[in-house]
Amino acid sequence: MGTVAWGLCALFCAWTCGRSAGLSRRRRGFDDHSADDLPKRCSYTFLVPEQKITGPICASRGSSLPDKERVTRMDIADVRELLSKQRREMETLRMVVDVDGNLVNEMKLLRKESRNMNSRVTQLYMQLLHEIIRKRDNSLELAQLEARVLNVTAEALRLSSRYRDLEARFAALAGVVNNQSVLIGALEEKCLHVYGHGRQEPLPPPLVQVVPENIPVHVPRFSNEIHMEHSRAFPRDRGSRAGPAPTGSTLEAKQPTTSNFSSEGPFLDCFHAMQAGHGTSGMYLLKPNDSERPMQAWCEHDMDGGGWTVIQRRKDGSVNFFRNWENYKKGFGNIDGEHWLGLENIYNLGRQEDYKLLVELQDWMEKKVYAAYSSFHLEPESESYRLRLGTYQGNAGDSLTSHNGKQFTTLDRDKDAFSGNCAHFHKGGWWYNACGQTNLNGVWYSGGVYRSKFQDGVFWADYGGGFYSMKSVRMLIKPIE
């Protein structure tokens, strides 16, 4: 389409629009007032530059629609403006929706974090409650512990007070004992003066001058174990079979069970009872060969292979050993406690076969030592039960060999080598020499401290000296295997 054609189209459109506008104004004028009152106007023709048309052009030569229903450019502009406004509002709403969506997401995250925080706060609260409960329990335990400490302190104070009372009572009793010792000495002097017919009081035996290698006062530096040479055996004596030395378990014997008595038997000795299948330590009925009647004896089966017959025991001072000849001959005491088996019974046991002797000693610091002799037997009563011993081995020191070959002495039968009666000074019966290096049947002094001017305690001179009384002593015999 040429330039002229475009120009004609533009003029036609302008004319059409002007005419339509005039008609509209005239119609509106006629509706309000008369058309004659309006001034007449001129129409103008405008020339517009040529524009490039890209879409279809609809031209109407006549008005197909009434003026009220005809759409004008202003209406289109208004619609476009309205559409633009709505589009802007939609964009605004879209932005608001986006913002609200972000806010909703943030709100969801905040709610999730809030739930997590609530869970954490609940957990911390439970921990706090647990800590409070634990502290309360600790406070209760602390209060209980304080109460216990106060109770223990009160008990300690009570025991301390009681200990002081006991010390005072012990001092009073010691004073009484000393007074009694003085009184006994005065009575002895009076008896000698009245019934001695002018005889002078015999001089006491000389004190034991042996300086012991082991002093119980310093026991903590020693070991409680038995140190023995197991490779060295006892030499033969009296044509006997030399048996091995006692093993290290000699002083590790179990405590005997009280009221343990076997009704079977009688047996020749405890070794015979063990061979018969009785391996429990206790009281057994024994009847050695050529003996007139059976006897009860304590058999020790819990040490050194078992089969040991106990012929003497001291442990608590419950039995008085200051006895006459007849008592020492028949025996006295309690078989399951302190006792003396009897010289005649010991003689009958020893003449059945070859026996060995074991002497166990325990001091007041709980240390145990021993002295073993390769052979042991007694001669008959016609020889005053003379002691016969073999060679020594042990860790207590040899304090009995000096009594070997000596006769038994009691208060009423003096067979020792001293000018006086050793049984009188040592308060017991023994194979005294003059008077000797040991006195296992003397007075049992609690704590080991003498309360006499004589050496009359249960002493072993080579262990502790003559003025230390042992806590416990046992003499045991067993056939040489």
Side-chain angles (χ1 to χ4, degrees):
M1 185 180 291
T3 305
V4 177
W6 280 107
L8 292 176
C9 288
L11 290 174
F12 178 75
C13 290
W15 178 80
T16 303
C17 291
R19 188 176 180 183
S20 298
L23 290 175
S24 298
R25 284 192 296 270
R26 284 195 298 269
R27 190 181 297 114
R28 289 192 297 270
F30 288 144
D31 293 337
D32 297 332
H33 300 284
S34 174
D36 294 336
D37 295 334
L38 295 175
K40 295 182 180 181
R41 297 184 182 185
C42 296
S43 62
Y44 300 92
T45 302
F46 297 94
L47 296 176
V48 295
E50 184 180 359
Q51 295 182 357
K52 186 177 181 179
I53 304 301
T54 59
I57 298 176
C58 297
S60 177
R61 293 182 179 178
S63 60
S64 59
L65 295 173
D67 292 339
K68 292 181 179 180
E69 296 179 359
R70 188 174 297 172
V71 178
T72 63
R73 289 184 178 182
M74 295 179 65
D75 294 334
I76 294 173
D78 293 337
V79 171
R80 288 178 178 175
E81 183 179 359
L82 180 61
L83 291 175
S84 299
K85 182 178 180 180
Q86 290 178 352
R87 189 178 294 109
R88 289 192 301 271
E89 290 178 355
M90 290 177 66
E91 293 293 334
T92 304
L93 290 174
R94 188 178 292 110
M95 293 178 62
V96 171
V97 168
D98 293 338
V99 172
D100 291 343
N102 293 333
L103 291 176
V104 169
N105 292 333
E106 291 180 0
M107 183 63 67
K108 290 181 179 180
L109 293 175
L110 289 176
R111 286 181 179 178
K112 186 175 180 180
E113 291 180 359
S114 177
R115 287 194 296 269
N116 294 335
M117 290 298 294
N118 290 335
S119 177
R120 180 60 178 167
V121 168
T122 303
Q123 183 180 2
L124 292 175
Y125 180 72
M126 295 301 295
Q127 291 180 357
L128 179 61
L129 288 178
H130 179 71
E131 192 70 19
I132 292 173
I133 294 173
R134 188 178 64 83
K135 287 184 177 180
R136 185 184 64 182
D137 295 340
N138 290 339
S139 299
L140 293 176
E141 292 179 358
L142 181 61
Q144 293 177 357
L145 183 60
E146 289 178 351
R148 290 177 60 184
V149 169
L150 291 176
N151 293 335
V152 171
T153 304
E155 184 68 16
L157 293 176
R158 188 181 66 83
L159 291 177
S160 176
S161 176
R162 186 176 178 184
Y163 177 74
R164 288 193 295 269
D165 294 340
L166 291 176
E167 280 187 336
R169 292 177 60 185
F170 178 77
L173 291 176
V176 172
V177 170
N178 292 332
N179 295 335
Q180 289 180 349
S181 299
V182 174
L183 181 60
I184 290 173
L187 291 175
E188 288 178 350
E189 293 179 358
K190 186 176 181 179
C191 289
L192 290 175
H193 179 73
V194 174
Y195 301 102
H197 303 291
R199 292 182 302 173
Q200 294 182 352
E201 179 183 359
L203 297 175
L207 300 179
V208 176
Q209 301 298 328
V210 175
V211 178
E213 297 180 1
N214 298 320
I215 302 176
V217 176
H218 305 292
V219 163
R221 67 180 180 178
F222 296 104
S223 171
N224 282 341
E225 298 178 357
I226 302 175
H227 303 284
M228 302 179 59
E229 298 178 6
H230 295 282
S231 60
R232 182 179 67 185
F234 290 117
R236 299 180 182 272
D237 190 21
R238 295 175 57 223
S240 64
R241 301 181 304 277
T247 63
S249 62
T250 299
L251 299 184
E252 301 296 332
K254 301 177 182 178
Q255 293 296 329
T257 304
T258 58
S259 302
N260 187 6
F261 176 72
S262 175
S263 59
E264 299 186 19
F267 305 100
L268 297 178
D269 55 18
C270 292
F271 186 75
H272 182 212
M274 185 185 68
Q275 290 178 331
H278 299 277
T280 303
S281 298
M283 291 184 291
Y284 287 82
L285 193 63
L286 308 181
K287 188 177 184 302
N289 293 327
D290 301 329
S291 61
E292 297 180 357
R293 56 183 181 179
M295 61 177 174
Q296 285 186 357
W298 185 273
C299 295
E300 183 60 62
H301 296 306
D302 297 323
M303 69 174 193
D304 196 30
W308 292 92
T309 304
V310 179
I311 64 174
Q312 186 258 20
R313 178 188 290 166
R314 306 295 302 278
K315 66 176 185 177
D316 53 15
S318 60
V319 176
N320 180 19
F321 275 68
F322 195 19
R323 306 275 184 132
N324 57 20
W325 178 269
E326 192 65 22
N327 289 144
Y328 270 99
K329 176 182 176 181
K330 295 181 178 180
F332 54 86
N334 302 315
I335 299 301
D336 58 347
E338 290 196 339
H339 71 279
W340 174 261
L341 189 60
L343 291 169
E344 187 65 22
N345 294 329
I346 299 173
Y347 164 71
N348 290 329
L349 285 170
R351 67 177 179 167
Q352 294 183 120
E353 54 182 308
D354 297 328
Y355 281 79
K356 56 186 176 181
L357 172 67
L358 176 66
V359 180
E360 288 185 343
L361 306 169
Q362 181 180 8
D363 61 29
W364 288 92
M365 300 189 74
E366 308 303 330
K367 181 181 180 181
K368 293 182 178 181
V369 292
Y370 77 99
Y373 295 88
S374 61
S375 63
F376 168 83
H377 75 280
L378 301 181
E379 294 186 1
E381 185 179 10
S382 59
E383 292 295 324
S384 298
Y385 299 109
R386 193 184 303 274
L387 176 65
R388 295 298 181 184
L389 290 174
T391 56
Y392 159 81
Q393 184 177 356
N395 62 354
D398 184 11
S399 294
L400 191 57
T401 298
S402 62
H403 298 259
N404 188 23
K406 305 305 176 184
Q407 295 179 322
F408 202 85
T409 294
T410 59
L411 181 63
D412 56 342
R413 186 172 296 190
D414 187 3
K415 297 293 182 178
D416 55 53
F418 182 59
S419 58
N421 189 336
C422 291
H424 168 74
F425 293 101
H426 288 296
K427 304 296 186 297
W430 195 250
W431 296 279
Y432 293 113
N433 187 348
C435 288
Q437 304 297 310
T438 181
N439 183 39
L440 300 187
N441 289 338
V443 180
W444 188 87
Y445 287 107
S446 177
V449 180
Y450 282 19
R451 287 175 288 276
S452 172
K453 61 182 179 180
F454 303 116
Q455 291 177 320
D456 55 0
V458 182
F459 69 87
W460 188 271
D462 284 271
Y463 184 79
F467 280 98
Y468 184 86
S469 185
M470 293 295 167
K471 181 179 181 180
S472 65
V473 175
R474 285 202 307 178
M475 298 176 66
L476 310 93
I477 61 174
K478 179 182 178 179
I480 301 175
E481 303 177 34

